[in-house]
Amino acid sequence: MSEIRTQSIVITLDDGRQHEFPAGTTVLGVLEVVDPAAKKETIGAMVNGRLVDLSRPIEQEARVKFITASSPEGLSMLRHSAAHLMAAAVQQLFPGSQFAIGPAIQDGFYYDIEPPRPLTQDDLPVIEAKMRELSEQRLPFVRLEVPLEEAVEKATALNQPYKVELLETIRDRALAPAGAAGHDELEHEIDPAAERASFYTTGDFIDLCRGPHVLDTSVIRFFRLTHLAGAYWRGDERRPMLTRIYGIAFPTQDALEAHLFLLEEAKRRDHRRLGREMDLFSVDDEVGGGLVLWHPKGALVRKLIEDLWREQHLNNGYDLIYTPHIGRAKLWETSGHLDFYQEYMYPRMEMEGNDYYVKPMNCPFHIKLFQSKVHSYRDLPVRFAELGTVYRFERAGVLHGLLRVRGFTQDDAHIFCTPAQTVSEVAHAVSFSLFFLRAFGFDQYDAYIATRPEKAIGDQTLWNDATEALRQAADQAGLSYQIDEGGGAFYGPKIDLKVKDALGRSWQCTTVQFDFNLPERFDITYVGEDNRPHRPFMVHRAILGSLERFFGVLIEHHAGAFPTWLAPVQARLVPVADRFQPYAQQVSDRLRTIGVRADVDVRNEKVGYKIRDAEVQKIPYALVVGEKEIASGTVSVRKRGGRDLGVMPMDGFVAAIQEELKPAVKATGPAQHEGGSIHQ
C-alpha cells in the first residue's frame, strides 16, 4: 500500500525567514511555530498582501506578515468583528431582526439593522451587556464558503432580505456588461468580483460577510456602544429607513478610555451647541435645511475672516472679482455640469425663453471673465479670487450644522499661467494656504498629492509636469506628504491639505487642483512669444474650502474660545454696581477708539453671574470696575479660562491687548512671475 505524502509549501515571513509547512496549515499554525510569544498580540495576517483570519488555511507558497490589534489593519479587523458581536447580541435580544451591513469605520463600527421594534438609547446598555456575555463565552468565528446561488438560498432561509439583495446584486453584476457601476457597500459583505460568498458563524448568529475576523469573541473586550441613527438602505431615501447602531472598539482599556474622553470633549466642542450658546448662527426649517442664518456675532467673525482674506489676496497679486449667482443653461452645458453634476444642481428656472441654473461652482464664471479680453503671455499669471456663494443640493440625511450645507461661500481662486510659471504659482498657492491656516490657529497638517487615475483626459506629459509642480511646492513648503496614486480627478492632479484640530481630527480645507478639462471645453488661450495662441495652465485653489464649513471647524478647534483678534467681543466691562456704569462706559469707549470690541454689562445681575456669563460667551477679557478702580484709574482683569490677572493701569491693559489684535503670523509675499520652469 503506497504512502500518501502531504505536499510541503514554503512560507516566507516579513523579515525574510523561510519555513516549510504542510499545505493547508492555518495561519495560526504557522504563528505557533515561528513566533509563539507573539500569539497573544496577533489577531490576523497579511498573506500575499491580503488580510486573512488566523484560522485561514494556507494552501500554497506565500509571504506572511502577522498583524497586531494595534496596527491599522488589526484595528479595522477588531472593529469589524465587534460589529458582528453586536449583531449577534441584537439577534438574541430582538429575534426577527434583519441585518444589512456592518463595517468597521474610523475609530469604531456600525451595523444597519431593521429590528422588530424601534430601538432607543436605553437599549444600548442592554445590548452592550449581552455583547460582554458573548465575549466571555469565547465563541469562535467560523468561516464557510459557498457558491453564489447557494449563498442566496442560505440568506433566504435565514430570512435576511438585505443580504439576499446584496448577493443578487453581485450575481446580476457578474452577468452585466463590463464596466458596469459597482456598489461600495458590497465590499463589506463579499468580494464584488468573487464567484463564491462566505458566511461567518458566531454562536447562533450566522452572517454573510467576506471577513476577516478575529479568532473568537474573547478578543473583543474593550468596546462601547455610543449612539443610534437612522440610515436609508443603500443611501436611497425611497428605501427603508434602518436603525444604525454605532460603537467603538480598541485593543486596550486605556485606549478605549482615552477615546471616550475625546468623544466627551467633542460633544463639549460641538459647533452646533456652541453656535446656539454663543448666538453665532442658526438653521431654520422654514428657511430651508442646509441654509445658514448668520447671527450678528457670527457674522462679525465671518467679516473678520473675509477682511483678512481680501487684504492678503490683494497683497499677494490676486484680482478680486464678483460673479452672478445664476447662469444660463448654455454656460453649464459648455462646462459639462449639466452632463456630470446635474443631480447636485437645483432645478432650472425658465425666464423669457431662457433656462437658468443657480450656480453650483464659480469656475465657469472665472473662465468667462478671463475670456473677456485677449491675454498676452506678458499678462500671465492672471489670478482671480472670489468669495463666491454657490448652491448644491445635498440629501436631507447628510446635512450637518455648518459642516454639510446646501448654500455656502467658497474662497475660490483660479490661476491662469504659462507652463513655465506653474512651479512658482503652485508653490506660492501652497505657502499662501499655510499662512492662512496658521493665522487661525492650525499648525498640524496632512498633505496628499493625488495622481492620474486610470481614466483621465490630458496628455501624460501635462500630468507629469503638473504632478511634479505639486511635489516641488510641497517640498518648498517643508510639507511631508503622501502620494495618493490614481486618486486625482479625471481632469488633473491635486494637492489636498487636511488640518488637524485640537482633538487630532483631520478636516479637509485646502485644495490646489490642476484642470486640463475646462480650458479645453471653453477653448481658452493666450498669445505666446511666437504670436500664436497657446493653452494656459489653469489651477483651482481654495484655502478655507467654504466659509461655513471652516467656521464650524474653527468653532470646534477653539471650543468657541477664538483668538482675541477673532473674538466677536474682546473685552466686557463688569461694573460692580449701577453707580460705576459711567466709568465702565468711559473705559469701554477708550478701548473702542483703539479698535478693541468692548461692551458694558449693564444687566441687573450679580457680579459673579456676569463674570460667569462672560466665560460662557468665551470673551477673552472681563474687566471688573468699582470704587477702587475709579479712584486709581485702573481695571481688575480676569482672563478667559478663570485667570485673575489682578488690578492693571489702563495704559498697561491697553498695551497688553493691542498685542493680540492681529493674527500672530507673518504675511506672505506675492509669487514671482518668472517662476521656475518644469520644462527646462
Side-chain angles (χ1 to χ4, degrees):
M1 186 173 179
S2 61
E3 182 180 323
I4 300 176
R5 298 187 60 187
T6 303
Q7 178 187 357
S8 291
I9 57 174
V10 175
I11 301 297
T12 304
L13 303 180
D14 195 46
D15 61 8
R17 289 182 295 152
Q18 292 186 328
H19 297 263
E20 279 196 12
F21 289 92
T25 300
T26 65
V27 176
L28 179 61
V30 174
L31 176 64
E32 289 175 332
V33 170
V34 301
D35 194 0
K39 183 177 176 182
K40 186 175 180 180
E41 291 78 27
T42 303
I43 65 169
M46 300 293 292
V47 176
N48 292 331
R50 183 176 182 181
L51 188 62
V52 301
D53 318 298
L54 287 177
S55 58
R56 188 73 64 90
I58 305 175
E59 302 292 350
Q60 55 189 1
E61 293 190 358
R63 177 173 288 275
V64 175
K65 177 185 177 181
F66 296 109
I67 300 299
T68 64
S70 59
S71 67
E73 301 90 347
L75 280 171
S76 178
M77 190 172 173
L78 177 71
R79 289 162 180 163
H80 188 189
S81 299
H84 278 246
L85 177 63
M86 179 180 70
V90 168
Q91 185 189 56
Q92 287 199 14
L93 293 168
F94 307 101
S97 293
Q98 295 176 334
F99 300 92
I101 59 172
I105 56 176
Q106 184 176 2
D107 298 325
F109 58 90
Y110 70 78
Y111 216 122
D112 288 344
I113 299 170
E114 186 176 343
R117 68 155 174 85
L119 300 182
T120 70
Q121 200 73 16
D122 292 339
D123 291 312
L124 296 188
V126 179
I127 299 171
E128 197 175 299
K130 177 59 70 172
M131 291 173 66
R132 298 193 189 285
E133 179 186 319
L134 296 176
S135 173
E136 291 172 359
Q137 293 177 20
R138 305 178 68 92
L139 301 171
F141 283 84
V142 180
R143 179 184 177 94
L144 171 68
E145 289 191 10
V146 296
L148 278 180
E149 284 300 335
E150 187 177 332
V152 172
E153 295 172 3
K154 189 173 183 67
T156 302
L158 291 169
N159 191 29
Q160 295 296 333
Y162 299 110
K163 304 293 186 180
V164 171
E165 182 177 332
L166 291 175
L167 287 162
E168 289 178 339
T169 302
I170 289 287
R171 181 190 62 193
D172 295 344
R173 200 170 75 185
L175 302 175
H183 301 276
D184 290 342
E185 76 272 18
L186 301 179
E187 297 182 3
H188 302 307
E189 311 301 322
I190 181 174
D191 182 349
E195 297 179 355
R196 296 169 64 83
S198 58
F199 289 83
Y200 278 82
T201 300
T202 313
D204 296 329
F205 180 62
I206 304 174
D207 199 14
L208 171 74
C209 181
R210 66 182 297 183
H213 285 291
V214 298
L215 204 58
D216 64 53
T217 57
S218 68
V219 178
I220 312 161
R221 299 170 54 200
F222 309 109
F223 56 84
R224 180 72 58 85
L225 301 185
T226 56
H227 62 287
L228 300 169
Y232 289 111
W233 171 229
R234 299 180 84 166
D236 187 342
E237 66 268 24
R238 297 166 298 182
R239 307 296 301 276
M241 171 69 81
L242 305 176
T243 298
R244 178 169 291 180
I245 308 177
Y246 282 96
I248 56 176
F250 289 87
T252 67
Q253 183 65 29
D254 287 347
L256 175 65
E257 289 178 358
H259 189 75
L260 288 171
F261 172 80
L262 288 179
L263 290 180
E264 288 303 312
E265 185 65 14
K267 289 180 184 178
R268 188 179 73 84
R269 293 169 177 262
D270 191 317
H271 74 281
R272 295 166 298 179
R273 181 180 67 81
L274 291 173
R276 289 191 301 271
E277 291 179 359
M278 298 176 65
D279 196 21
L280 299 174
F281 72 92
S282 62
V283 177
D284 189 295
D285 284 342
E286 195 167 340
V287 174
L291 302 173
V292 179
L293 299 173
W294 292 77
H295 295 202
K297 289 181 180 178
L300 177 56
V301 178
R302 172 172 172 161
K303 175 190 177 297
L304 295 168
I305 296 171
E306 291 184 359
D307 287 349
L308 179 69
W309 190 92
R310 291 191 175 96
E311 172 192 310
Q312 290 300 319
H313 276 78
L314 288 173
N315 290 346
N316 281 268
Y318 286 81
D319 293 312
L320 301 185
I321 61 174
Y322 295 91
T323 61
H325 285 239
I326 64 173
R328 287 182 59 187
K330 181 172 175 53
L331 180 72
W332 306 111
E333 289 168 359
T334 303
S335 69
H337 285 90
L338 283 182
D339 291 330
F340 305 114
Y341 205 75
Q342 191 167 4
E343 65 178 305
Y344 297 108
M345 296 173 67
Y346 277 84
R348 68 181 177 86
M349 299 175 284
E350 191 277 326
M351 300 290 288
E352 298 180 338
N354 288 305
D355 291 340
Y356 293 85
Y357 289 88
V358 176
K359 66 176 177 181
M361 295 185 184
N362 299 303
C363 327
F365 296 93
H366 292 204
I367 291 173
K368 296 305 292 183
L369 189 55
F370 181 84
Q371 284 185 312
S372 65
K373 67 176 185 179
V374 175
H375 290 277
S376 161
Y377 71 95
R378 298 180 185 273
D379 301 325
L380 302 186
V382 170
R383 309 182 189 102
F384 291 144
E386 176 185 19
L387 291 169
T389 301
V390 300
Y391 301 88
R392 300 177 188 172
F393 180 74
E394 298 279 5
R395 298 186 187 279
V398 302
L399 298 177
H400 182 79
L402 295 174
L403 303 181
R404 196 77 177 264
V405 293
R406 287 172 171 162
F408 52 95
T409 300
Q410 290 182 306
D411 70 313
D412 231 346
H414 292 89
I415 301 166
F416 303 88
C417 62
T418 68
Q421 295 166 338
T422 53
V423 171
S424 61
E425 285 302 309
V426 171
H428 180 256
V430 171
S431 64
F432 193 35
S433 300
L434 293 174
F435 158 76
F436 268 98
L437 299 176
R438 288 169 182 147
F440 293 104
F442 297 102
D443 55 12
Q444 293 185 34
Y445 324 95
D446 289 324
Y448 301 86
I449 295 177
T451 63
R452 182 185 178 104
E454 186 176 340
K455 294 182 179 179
I457 64 168
D459 183 76
Q460 182 67 53
T461 301
L462 291 178
W463 276 84
N464 292 344
D465 291 344
T467 303
E468 180 59 25
L470 295 173
R471 290 177 188 267
Q472 291 189 32
D475 290 338
Q476 289 179 29
L479 284 174
S480 60
Y481 55 88
Q482 299 178 42
I483 299 295
D484 180 9
E485 293 289 354
F490 74 93
Y491 50 83
K494 65 176 179 175
I495 184 169
D496 286 331
L497 296 182
K498 296 183 179 181
V499 299
K500 287 192 173 182
D501 69 9
L503 299 184
R505 299 172 300 182
S506 291
W507 301 93
Q508 173 67 54
C509 285
T510 300
T511 295
V512 179
Q513 167 84 62
F514 281 92
D515 190 334
F516 305 131
N517 180 43
L518 290 181
E520 293 288 338
R521 296 186 74 103
F522 283 90
D523 192 25
I524 62 173
T525 60
Y526 68 93
V527 179
E529 291 184 77
D530 58 2
N531 212 32
R532 300 178 64 180
H534 295 267
R535 188 82 69 216
F537 271 53
M538 175 178 168
V539 180
H540 302 266
R541 193 237 61 198
I543 296 175
L544 309 179
S546 79
L547 294 184
E548 286 76 7
R549 189 169 186 272
F550 184 74
F551 189 42
V553 173
L554 196 65
I555 292 170
E556 298 203 359
H557 178 56
H558 292 291
F562 301 118
T564 301
W565 74 272
L566 200 56
V569 178
Q570 295 167 321
R572 171 160 292 173
L573 276 295
V574 180
V576 299
D578 290 350
R579 65 182 182 277
F580 305 122
Q581 286 183 15
Y583 178 70
Q585 190 62 56
Q586 178 185 333
V587 172
S588 176
D589 291 345
R590 179 180 175 185
L591 292 173
R592 293 174 78 88
T593 61
I594 63 166
V596 177
R597 293 183 291 277
D599 64 15
V600 181
D601 192 335
V602 298
R603 294 175 296 174
N604 185 25
E605 299 285 356
K606 293 181 178 180
V607 173
Y609 175 85
K610 292 181 179 181
I611 293 173
R612 286 192 299 274
D613 186 62
E615 189 71 27
V616 169
Q617 294 299 315
K618 315 291 185 181
I619 297 171
Y621 292 98
L623 308 180
V624 181
V625 295
E627 193 91 47
K628 290 188 301 182
E629 286 77 17
I630 291 177
S632 58
T634 59
V635 288
S636 182
V637 183
R638 292 176 181 269
K639 192 167 185 178
R640 183 174 57 199
R643 292 175 57 196
D644 187 347
L645 302 185
V647 176
M648 296 179 65
M650 268 304 300
D651 289 344
F653 178 73
V654 166
I657 196 170
Q658 280 185 312
E659 296 292 318
E660 302 178 35
L661 298 183
K662 294 290 183 182
V665 290
K666 293 182 180 179
T668 60
Q672 299 300 311
H673 278 215
E674 64 271 19
S677 174
I678 55 178
H679 293 271
Q680 296 173 351

